[in-house]
Amino acid sequence: MTTVDNEKERAFWNGAGGETWVRAQAQLDHMLAPLLEALLAGAAPARGERVLDLGCGCGASSLAAAERGAEVVGLDFSAPMIALAEQRAKAAPALALRFICEDATKAVFPTPFDHLISRFGGMFFADPVPAYGKLRSALVPGGRMTLLVWQAPKRNPWMSVVGQAVAPFLPLPAGGAPDPRAPGPFAFADPAYVTELLEAAGWESISLSPVERPLHLANTMEEALALQSQVGPLARVLRELEDTAREAALAAAREALTPHFTAEGLVLGAACHLVEARAP
Ligand SMILES: C[S@@+](CC[C@H](N)C(=O)[O-])C[C@H]1O[C@@H](n2cnc3c(N)ncnc32)[C@H](O)[C@@H]1O
């Protein structure tokens, strides 16, 4: 069931999505650094703890947990992102860190983990209840889960400022407004839904706490547009619009971003939930 259902996401992260994250890895890791710190502060991985990093991508959170002394397995089904993660891990051979390129709903682990962590890698399952049930069974009894997931787009100006500016130029997706719980970055925005699905997947002691941080996106407008053209709504503008419409949408994005430049560059707010739970 789930392996087949995750095919669309698997194809995306092995194609355009994965290539983009590999290309923009340094910029994205810089932008997301305050949120990685928040994840690690919440997760507090202990020395020797066996950690599974779900949807580890290019490996930033796996490296950071291993640097704190945990024994880390980074899991992701994106071949280009795992290739970069492995390359980065080679530069730190003393760390207890390895990567697996596989669908999280399909992977089999001979030894259970103490702790499942994720920075934005847990919202892409076509069928999240069985997926989280399977991940729970990969932990020891009493094992912990600590996930960072995005709150709603309107609570994330780092994305919504440009999103709102270019929306009038983009056609509505076929079939009307998308399902907010469909696999994607904002699928876990609703705390009640996340609690309900994790309960249904057999997790206990479930809690969500808000994490809000300013993010430094770029030093110049050109850098900002280059980043937003790769991940976020501007990427759709470049993909779907041509000539005059594209120029008009880009101009609207520039105008919307301009007031948010400070002496430190472009700084916009982000809001996430830190999701914590335990395996029974
Ligand atoms: C938004 S990216 C985040 C990457 C990384 N955690 C970071 O913060 O840089 C989401 C990641 O989840 C991975 N992913 C999504 N669904 C997955 C699945 N079913 N199995 C394994 N990895 C998955 C994607 O390949 C992608 O690397």
Side-chain angles (χ1 to χ4, degrees), residues 34-35 38-39 148 151 155 209-213 270-274:
L35 299 174
L39 171 67
L148 202 58
Q151 292 190 28
R155 307 261 308 118
S209 351
V211 171
E212 291 171 18
R213 296 285 185 280
C272 308
H273 302 297
L274 187 75

Side-chain angles (χ1 to χ4, degrees), residues 13 21 55-57 76-78 81 102-104 119-121 124-125:
W13 292 106
W21 275 67
C56 66
D76 203 292
F77 61 8
S78 166
M81 294 170 84
E102 195 157 3
D103 188 321
R119 182 182 81 171
F120 307 131
F124 300 90
F125 297 119

Side-chain angles (χ1 to χ4, degrees), residues 154-170:
K154 63 173 188 288
R155 307 261 308 118
N156 280 286
W158 70 271
M159 210 227 34
S160 65
V161 165
V162 166
Q164 280 165 8
V166 302
F169 299 90
L170 287 165

Side-chain angles (χ1 to χ4, degrees), residues 198-239:
L198 292 180
E199 270 171 5
W203 291 86
E204 293 179 346
S205 309
I206 302 159
S207 70
L208 282 84
S209 351
V211 171
E212 291 171 18
R213 296 285 185 280
L215 301 184
H216 179 258
L217 275 75
N219 289 317
T220 65
M221 179 64 83
E222 294 322 309
E223 259 178 49
L225 291 176
L227 180 66
Q228 299 244 340
S229 304
Q230 301 197 62
V231 288
L234 262 195
R236 223 187 123 201
V237 165
L238 299 181
R239 228 175 23 243

